[in-house]
């Protein structure tokens, strides 16, 4: 467990204690759906997947904005080998992560994928996404009710000499 | 017909690493076929991984997930021999499910 | 510079001379020549995809009655076919220059 | 203006004459010598890329670019050709209507033999590729042949290639003038410029492997067919050697020949022979 180096370590510990107590109460629920961890609701986020822009998609999915954080490590190629199959992965040192989502800004619909994490599932995921053209790629991690993001630019062009 | 889901689950210590590759066209609905008609959208919307009766990981996918989608994640709390149940449903109501023993 | 200027003048004159609309006969002659060249290129197994598409465009324009465009496209197809024939014949020996020895 | 022009013309013709005299190959009638050709071909790449391990050349663009190699190795953990491989294995063991299977058509039941294809059939006097042999097997057993550029053929060749993985390419050229002619015809095709783009195979795969053609990194010609058939992300599907040749042609705006045309079989014969000794790495995953 990362050592807590915050200004008021004791207050943090108490806080964590309180939160975990609350969690135990909800232990049997696969998803700690308590308000403190407003994970994306369980059913398929139809609305969010319909949004064109990345900002609207984030709002539709989470309802609030994320703050960039270096605790979210987003890995994607600088030049995509092929726009149809771009390996993208995220790992994070944040804890109590309830969901991780990927947004491809330049795609017709920004939200590409959203993953829900249960208790005990390691907050990391790798997948292969499609990117229409060179684009900004945003990964958002929802941890302990707050949103953290990481961004990377991926170059995408057609291959071959054209035909 | 062999299942459309290929999965590998290996446990080392308390952490089980899961990789899945699913055979599915993942059509976006924006692509035309050779004689110019739009191929209708056909993509997996939800992919669920259950172990010991608990959903350990759920993926909600849009049209931007690659064809023959692949996903990798790990989770704690399972051991060798436990059964992992994987199931997906797509936007046309298609679905498939399979189980795999954790190696 | 002087030479290119003269060349441009000549070209302009040429265009003015055949300003009258191309007739179906012009198109048919141009298309026949293009088709013959394309056949030869195919027999040499050196046909270009652009020859085929330009020839098709010529035919389509002719079917639509636009003989100006059809004749121009047929002439272009012929030029492409001839270029691919030249490529085939010159490469018969030229390829050796690239060979790893 | 005029004097400079004639000077230029003079020097060019002088150079040409000099070139003709110095290289004996051009003067003496070319004797077809595959062994020397193969040695020269391999040395060209070994010297051009001294720090690429010899057996790495069969990994195409990934032998040329570290970052892409990492992405490829990640993908190889769970490769996209997995389905074609399973399908091929299943097809290989499913008997034809007459009860026979592919195993009956091939030496050693078709297992671990891909490295000997294509071979020169002295009876027929032609090169026979694995894809051609598979379709001939189907026809001999009353089954309709598969398309050379579609998934079924790719699945079969993927499975057969998989059973030969790691085995060194082992192509033989019998002492038969028609076999030497086929080798030479393949070599000529490989170096001949075609299409409106006026590219030859060598233009990309000998002169500039490792460099990019738009987003794609070009593979070296050495070992380029060792990974066949390949799953290409660009096609998001499997591709046989035939499909690769056909699409390469149309990319340079050359009208492709019919799959398994003599020229294609001969160029595959040439490319496989000069890669003798390098391991089979099919089926491969490519951009």
């Amino acid at each position: 467990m990362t050592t807590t180096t915050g200004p008021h370590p004791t207050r943090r510990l108490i806080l964590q204690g309180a939160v975990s107590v609350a969690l135990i109460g909800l232990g049997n629920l696969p998803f700690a759906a308590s308000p403190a961890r407003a994970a994306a609701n369980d059913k398929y986020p139809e609305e969010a997947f319909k949004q064109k822009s990345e900002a609207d998609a984030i709002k539709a999915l989470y309802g609030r904005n994320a703050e960039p954080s270096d605790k979210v490590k987003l890995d994607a190629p600088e030049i995509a080998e092929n726009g149809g199959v771009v390996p993208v992965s995220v790992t994070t040192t944040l804890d109590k992560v309830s969901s991780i989502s990927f947004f491809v800004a330049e795609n017709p619909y920004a939200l590409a994928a959203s993953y829900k994490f249960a208790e005990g599932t390691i907050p990391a995921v790798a997948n292969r996404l499609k990117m229409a053209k060179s684009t900004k790629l945003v990964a958002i991690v929802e941890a302990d009710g707050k949103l953290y993001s990481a961004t990377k630019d991926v170059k995408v062009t057609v291959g071959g000499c054209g035909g | 017909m062999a299942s459309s889901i290929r999965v590998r689950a290996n446990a080392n210590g308390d952490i089980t690493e899961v990789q899945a590759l699913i055979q599915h066209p993942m059509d976006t609905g924006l692509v035309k076929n050779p004689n110019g008609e739009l191929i209708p959208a056909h993509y997996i919307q939800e992919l669920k991984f259950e172990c010991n009766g608990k959903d350990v990981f759920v993926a909600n996918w849009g049209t931007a997930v690659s064809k023959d989608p692949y996903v990798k994640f790990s989770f704690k709390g399972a051991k060798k021999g436990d059964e992992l149940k994987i199931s997906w449903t797509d936007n046309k109501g298609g679905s498939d499910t399979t189980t795999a023993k954790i190696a | 510079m002087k030479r290119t200027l003269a060349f441009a003048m000549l070209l302009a004159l040429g265009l003015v001379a055949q300003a009258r609309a191309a007739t179906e006969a012009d198109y048919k002659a141009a298309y026949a020549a293009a088709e013959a060249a394309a056949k030869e290129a195919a027999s040499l197994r050196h046909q270009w995809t652009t020859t085929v598409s330009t020839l098709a465009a010529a035919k389509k324009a002719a079917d639509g009655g636009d003989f100006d465009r059809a004749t121009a496209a047929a002439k272009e197809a012929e030029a492409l076919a001839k270029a691919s024939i030249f490529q085939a014949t010159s490469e018969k020996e030229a390829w050796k220059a690239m060979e790893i020895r | 203006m005029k004097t400079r022009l004639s000077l230029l013309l003079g020097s060019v013709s002088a150079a040409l004459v000099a070139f003709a005299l110095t290289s004996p190959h051009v003067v003496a009638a070319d004797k077809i010598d595959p062994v020397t050709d193969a040695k020269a071909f391999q040395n060209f790449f070994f010297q051009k890329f001294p720090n690429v391990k010899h057996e790495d050349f069969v990994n195409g663009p990934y032998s040329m670019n570290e970052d892409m190699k990492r992405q490829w190795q990640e993908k190889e953990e769970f490769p996209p050709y997995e389905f074609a491989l399973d399908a091929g294995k299943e097809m290989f063991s499913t008997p034809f209507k007459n009860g026979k299977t592919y195993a009956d058509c091939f030496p050693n039941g078709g297992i671990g033999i891909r490295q000997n294809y294509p071979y020169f059939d002295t009876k027929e006097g032609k090169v026979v590729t694995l894809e051609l042999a598979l379709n001939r097997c189907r026809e001999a057993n009353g089954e309709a042949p598969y398309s050379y550029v579609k998934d079924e053929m790719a699945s079969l060749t993927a499975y057969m290639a998989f059973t030969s993985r790691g085995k060194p390419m082992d192509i033989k050229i019998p002492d038969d003038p028609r076999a030497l002619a086929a080798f030479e015809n393949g070599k000529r095709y490989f170096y001949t410029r075609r299409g409106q783009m006026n590219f030859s195979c060598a233009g990309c795969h000998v002169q500039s492997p490792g460099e990019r053609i738009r987003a794609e990194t070009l593979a070296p010609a050495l070992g380029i067919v060792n990974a066949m058939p390949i799953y290409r992300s660009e096609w998001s599907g499997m591709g046989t050697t035939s499909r690769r040749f056909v699409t390469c042609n149309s990319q340079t705006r050359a009208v492709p020949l019919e799959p398994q045309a003599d020229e294609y079989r001969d160029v595959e014969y040439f490319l496989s022979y000069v890669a003798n000794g390098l391991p089979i790495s099919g089926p491969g995953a490519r951009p």
Side-chain angles (χ1 to χ4, degrees):
Chain A
M1 258 301 282
T2 50
T3 54
T4 50
T5 54
H8 307 291
T10 46
R11 193 163 66 78
R12 227 172 118 74
L13 274 179
I14 297 163
L15 240 180
Q16 261 176 353
V19 167
S20 51
V21 162
L23 275 181
I24 291 166
L26 306 162
N28 42 30
L29 264 180
F31 288 99
S34 66
R37 300 186 49 181
N41 45 41
D42 273 355
K43 74 173 183 26
Y44 182 70
E46 196 75 38
E47 251 332 283
F49 276 109
K50 282 208 183 70
Q51 300 307 317
K52 292 220 179 317
S53 83
E54 163 219 339
D56 298 345
I58 295 173
K59 192 174 278 83
L61 188 62
Y62 291 113
R64 56 198 186 297
N65 293 332
E67 39 155 312
S69 149
D70 52 15
K71 289 208 173 69
V72 176
K73 195 172 154 311
L74 170 61
D75 186 21
E78 223 192 289
I79 300 177
E81 191 183 74
N82 177 281
V85 182
V86 184
V88 172
S89 60
V90 157
T91 55
T92 177
T93 49
L94 295 164
D95 52 9
K96 287 201 278 303
V97 166
S98 53
S99 84
I100 295 182
S101 303
F102 293 94
F103 300 83
V104 180
E106 295 300 323
N107 270 1
Y109 301 100
L111 176 57
S114 176
Y115 297 95
K116 281 182 270 185
F117 288 72
E119 195 60 41
T121 304
I122 313 285
V125 60
N127 56 174
R128 294 170 186 163
L129 301 179
K130 292 183 206 168
M131 296 183 187
K133 48 183 161 76
S134 297
T135 178
K136 187 176 77 169
L137 169 68
V138 179
I140 287 191
V141 171
E142 183 184 30
D144 196 10
K146 292 224 289 302
L147 296 182
Y148 304 89
S149 71
T151 308
K152 199 163 193 275
D153 286 326
V154 180
K155 275 207 208 79
V156 175
T157 51
V158 184
C161 50
Chain B
M1 225 292 280
S3 154
S4 65
I5 305 171
R6 293 283 181 291
V7 66
R8 249 182 239 151
N10 307 85
N12 42 45
D14 186 29
I15 297 182
T16 307
E17 187 190 72
V18 179
Q19 290 183 86
L21 186 75
I22 301 163
Q23 191 162 21
H24 195 282
M26 300 300 280
D27 292 324
T28 59
L30 309 166
V31 174
K32 288 198 171 67
N33 60 21
N35 34 38
E37 302 122 2
L38 268 181
I39 303 170
H42 181 205
Y43 59 96
I44 291 175
Q45 294 188 317
E46 189 164 274
L47 167 66
K48 211 179 269 192
F49 292 82
E50 269 173 77
C51 185
N52 301 335
K54 202 180 80 160
D55 281 354
V56 287
F57 187 65
V58 174
N60 285 328
W61 281 342
T63 54
V65 173
S66 303
K67 175 177 188 280
D68 297 339
Y70 165 84
V71 70
K72 177 164 102 172
F73 71 99
S74 333
F75 69 102
K76 283 194 237 157
K79 53 187 177 340
K80 272 191 185 25
D82 284 1
E83 223 180 50
L84 189 64
K85 182 165 173 288
I86 305 107
S87 53
W88 58 260
T89 53
D90 65 24
N91 64 324
K92 283 189 175 162
S95 70
D96 193 1
T97 180
T98 191
T99 55
K101 279 255 181 307
I102 296 179
Chain C
M1 231 335 266
K2 225 166 15 38
R3 236 155 27 86
T4 45
L5 210 64
F7 180 72
M9 282 276 291
L10 238 171
L11 190 72
L13 255 178
L15 279 179
V16 162
Q18 37 131 328
R20 56 166 175 69
T23 63
E24 185 166 3
D26 297 335
Y27 158 67
K28 278 217 163 35
Y31 190 83
E35 208 174 24
K39 266 203 180 48
E40 193 191 343
S43 68
L44 292 167
R45 318 265 281 169
H46 255 269
Q47 187 79 279
W48 293 354
T49 50
T50 35
T51 311
V52 174
S53 53
T54 315
L55 212 53
K59 198 161 183 334
K60 195 156 169 283
D63 298 347
D66 179 347
F67 292 115
D68 274 344
R69 216 150 50 81
T71 313
K75 280 200 164 53
E76 197 200 328
E78 186 191 359
L80 288 168
K82 284 220 158 53
S84 65
I85 295 165
F86 174 76
Q87 181 190 56
T89 40
S90 65
E91 278 301 304
K92 276 218 171 358
E93 284 310 314
W95 68 271
K96 290 201 173 83
M98 295 265 283
E99 186 192 350
I100 297 172
R101 294 274 161 85
Chain D
M1 237 315 269
K2 264 172 75 23
T3 48
R4 212 150 39 78
L5 200 67
S6 54
L7 241 175
L8 182 74
L9 268 178
S11 58
V12 163
S13 49
L16 261 179
V17 166
F19 174 70
L21 285 176
T22 50
S23 65
H25 281 269
V26 173
V27 177
D30 267 347
K31 194 176 86 45
I32 305 169
D33 181 357
V35 176
T36 320
D37 285 352
K39 203 180 272 43
F41 198 89
Q42 295 202 356
N43 285 341
F44 174 85
F45 285 96
F46 295 158
Q47 278 141 26
K48 186 167 181 153
F49 302 99
N51 40 34
V52 173
K53 288 205 292 297
H54 293 186
E55 66 279 6
D56 252 0
F57 278 103
V58 300
N59 297 326
Y62 304 125
S63 62
M64 297 283 122
N65 177 316
E66 264 326 302
D67 175 44
M68 277 176 74
K69 185 167 189 174
R70 192 180 52 74
Q71 284 178 54
W72 170 57
Q73 272 153 346
E74 221 175 276
K75 221 163 41 167
E76 280 295 295
E77 254 177 62
F78 221 147
Y81 50 73
E82 191 89 9
F83 298 110
L85 208 46
D86 293 346
K89 190 171 186 162
E90 205 180 313
M91 287 155 78
F92 220 76
S93 47
T94 320
F96 301 126
K97 287 196 277 298
N98 64 8
K100 284 220 173 60
T101 67
Y102 292 104
D104 303 319
C105 302
F106 288 92
N108 194 27
I111 305 302
I113 56 160
R114 181 261 181 276
Q115 69 281 3
N116 304 326
Y117 284 79
Y119 70 94
F120 187 80
D121 186 317
T122 41
K123 279 193 304 308
E124 193 187 333
K126 282 261 179 70
V127 171
V128 174
T129 63
L130 186 61
E131 294 165 20
L132 187 62
L134 280 163
N135 258 349
R136 283 185 175 168
C137 174
R138 288 185 61 78
E139 279 161 345
N141 289 289
E143 297 284 344
Y146 284 134
S147 144
Y148 285 112
V149 291
K150 284 274 187 308
D151 284 349
E152 299 85 358
M153 182 56 80
S155 299
L156 283 172
T157 47
Y159 175 62
M160 289 182 84
F162 188 71
T163 60
S164 286
R165 249 190 190 179
K167 291 189 173 192
M169 186 70 94
D170 177 18
I171 303 294
K172 296 190 182 40
I173 299 187
D175 190 12
D176 175 333
R178 292 168 304 168
L180 292 172
F183 175 83
E184 186 70 8
N185 188 32
K187 181 166 75 173
R188 179 183 312 110
Y189 188 90
F190 178 76
Y191 287 108
T192 300
R193 290 177 175 281
R194 56 181 45 77
Q196 190 179 9
M197 301 278 196
N198 203 25
F199 285 149
S200 65
C201 313
C204 285
H205 297 294
V206 169
Q207 272 177 324
S208 38
E211 285 158 43
R212 281 186 187 279
I213 185 156
R214 295 202 286 190
E216 253 162 58
T217 304
L218 289 166
L222 180 59
I224 203 165
V225 289
N226 290 44
M228 285 296 171
I230 46 175
Y231 180 97
R232 285 201 71 218
S233 305
E234 183 158 335
W235 300 332
S236 61
M238 287 302 291
T240 57
T241 310
S242 303
R243 181 175 185 180
R244 182 64 277 190
F245 286 156
V246 163
T247 45
C248 251
N249 276 165
S250 38
Q251 290 232 357
T252 62
R253 293 188 182 165
V255 170
L257 310 173
E258 61 290 356
Q260 295 300 320
D262 284 0
E263 289 94 331
Y264 285 162
R265 290 189 289 175
D266 290 348
V267 76
E268 186 178 341
Y269 192 47
F270 165 74
L271 283 172
S272 303
Y273 181 79
V274 295
N276 267 353
L278 295 182
I280 296 295
S281 61
R286 290 289 183 273

